[in-house]
Amino acid sequence: MADALIRGPGPFTDPGARPASTNSQHHDSDPVQPEHPASAVGTIGHPGNHAAAGPDVSSTKPAAGASDPGMAIASVESGANLAGNGGDGHFYGGIIHASLLIYEPVNISVSLGYGSVALASQSNNLNVDQSAFQMAGVGGHGGNDNIASGASVSTSLGAGMIASGDNSAGNGGSGYFSGAIVDAPVVIYHPINIAVAGSGGTAHASQSNTVEIDQSATQIAGVGGNGGNANVSAGGSVVTLDPSWGSSNAGGVSDVQTGGSQVGNGGDGAFYGGLVHTSFVLYDPINIAVAGYGSNAHSVQTNDAYVDQSTVQIAGIGGYGGNGNAAAGGHASLLSHGLWGGSDAIATGSNGAGNGGNGYFAGSLIDVSVAIYAPINIAIAGSHSTAVADQVNNVHIDQSAVQIAGLGGDGGHGNLALGGDLSAHLLSDLHLLG
């Protein structure tokens, strides 16, 4: 806000603050600026070029001998401007992914009687995708090339507080997660192929399976957004003159704040709860060939299986600080002709630029992957017969896991954070008159 708020000298003379207007007492040559909103929010989580600045505020004390010499400014605020900051992400509850697949084809060929032939052939190409991407409580990234600046403040009136700092630009939003993310996919694959021939017959059972099962999961929760790049946040300059010049009243400024500007910082990540990934695969193909007396039995089974049960779990991670950002406290200048009330507090520091966010994690990361692969191939022949059983298995099972929790983000590069300059001058009345 950049309004000049005016209150009376006591709590009962003017019970409410009022914006300065043309009815307020001031010099015509140096009017109080009219009321303007001075807060702007840039794009959240996306780069952009935005500027947020409070308009300049200028006021002077009434001339000596004025009818209301005790009038003062209770508060002058031209800071707290926002530009291009990523929004916070909040999640409370549960995200659950639980998929179930049961696939069990059955192929049977039976030829009874002397000299018969039984042939059973089965070919299966199976692709199952039970992968999951689960993300909750993630702050948006700060934008780029934004400017947030407090306006310049110049006053010779006594003021309770003058604030032109606490501006922010291009900061990543914080991410908060409380609850549970659960991924529990299940696949049961059970093909059966049987060929039976009577006495003197030939039984041939052939089974070919090409299987791809994807149960991978990516779970992200409670992650702060990254800070943007090349942003500027600065407190406005403050110039105050001794309010006792030309009158017998002495006063001062109780609080001058031009610092506290933040730019390009990564947001904090906070996670409370659990990330659970439990995947289960049961794969047991069965191939049987049976031939009677004096017969030939031939059983062939070929299996190509790829099972991916990998998981990536990320929780409670602070965002990275941006690069090439600048945060500076505004210049504060106090001019006095003698020992006057002064200022109780002058703050031009506490600025931050390109800092990595904090990571907070409390809970559990759980990955339980189960794969049961049990192919069965049987060939049975009677007396004086030939039985051949061939089985070829090409199996790849990935149960890898990456679990990351409670890490602070890295700080950026080429950032600048400076406290504002402070100058205090004691000038005599003769110096002013000369």
Side-chain angles (χ1 to χ4, degrees):
M1 297 294 294
D3 304 330
L5 301 183
I6 296 180
R7 296 182 184 269
F12 303 103
T13 56
D14 187 4
R18 61 184 185 275
S21 65
T22 55
N23 296 324
S24 300
Q25 195 173 24
H26 58 269
H27 290 302
D28 293 337
S29 62
D30 190 12
V32 176
Q33 296 295 322
E35 180 179 2
H36 292 284
S39 177
V41 180
T43 56
I44 297 177
H46 300 283
N49 299 289
H50 298 82
D56 293 343
V57 177
S58 177
S59 64
T60 60
K61 185 182 176 180
S67 60
D68 191 7
M71 184 68 69
I73 297 177
S75 177
V76 177
E77 298 181 3
S78 69
N81 303 290
L82 310 175
N85 298 303
D88 294 337
H90 301 267
F91 178 87
Y92 305 94
I95 297 179
I96 300 175
H97 174 239
S99 57
L100 171 65
L101 173 65
I102 301 176
Y103 180 56
E104 46 184 5
V106 178
N107 189 38
I108 299 175
S109 178
V110 178
S111 179
L112 299 176
Y114 184 83
S116 298
V117 176
L119 178 65
S121 178
Q122 186 181 88
S123 178
N124 299 305
N125 294 313
L126 178 66
N127 184 290
V128 179
D129 184 1
Q130 292 180 323
S131 61
F133 182 86
Q134 299 166 310
M135 182 170 64
V138 178
H141 298 308
N144 301 320
D145 303 321
N146 300 287
I147 298 175
S149 176
S152 298
V153 178
S154 177
T155 179
S156 64
L157 292 174
M161 181 184 69
I162 299 177
S164 67
D166 198 24
N167 305 288
S168 62
N171 297 300
S174 298
Y176 304 97
F177 177 91
S178 177
I181 295 181
V182 179
D183 176 43
V186 176
V187 170
I188 299 176
Y189 178 50
H190 185 63
I192 299 175
N193 191 46
I194 299 175
V196 179
S199 300
T202 299
H204 181 82
S206 177
Q207 186 181 88
S208 176
N209 298 304
T210 301
V211 179
E212 181 178 354
I213 300 173
D214 184 1
Q215 293 181 325
S216 61
T218 300
Q219 299 170 316
I220 301 174
V223 177
N226 296 327
N229 302 315
N231 297 286
V232 176
S233 178
S237 61
V238 175
V239 178
T240 65
L241 305 179
D242 186 343
S244 64
W245 278 327
S247 74
S248 60
N249 296 300
V253 179
S254 63
D255 194 3
V256 176
Q257 299 176 356
T258 67
S261 298
Q262 304 294 325
V263 59
N265 299 306
D268 293 337
F271 176 90
Y272 306 93
L275 295 182
V276 180
H277 175 237
T278 60
S279 56
F280 178 81
V281 171
L282 174 61
Y283 177 45
D284 55 347
I286 299 176
N287 192 44
I288 300 174
V290 179
Y293 180 83
S295 300
N296 295 320
H298 186 70
S299 179
V300 177
Q301 186 181 81
T302 302
N303 298 303
D304 294 310
Y306 178 84
V307 179
D308 184 1
Q309 294 177 322
S310 62
T311 181
V312 176
Q313 297 172 314
I314 300 174
I317 306 299
Y320 295 114
N323 302 318
N325 299 286
H331 176 80
S333 181
L334 308 179
L335 303 179
S336 174
H337 77 284
L339 297 177
W340 60 296
S343 176
D344 293 336
I346 300 175
T348 64
S350 190
N351 305 289
N355 299 301
N358 297 316
Y360 304 96
F361 177 88
S364 58
L365 298 179
I366 300 175
D367 175 45
V368 179
S369 299
V370 178
I372 300 176
Y373 178 61
I376 299 174
N377 191 40
I378 300 175
I380 300 175
S383 301
H384 306 293
S385 299
T386 300
V388 178
D390 294 328
Q391 187 180 80
V392 178
N393 297 302
N394 297 310
V395 181
H396 177 81
I397 299 176
D398 184 1
Q399 293 181 326
S400 62
V402 176
Q403 298 171 313
I404 303 174
L407 295 182
D410 295 332
H413 304 283
N415 298 287
L416 182 65
L418 295 175
D421 295 332
L422 171 64
S423 60
H425 303 281
L426 297 178
L427 304 176
S428 65
D429 291 339
L430 294 178
H431 173 78
L432 294 175
L433 295 176

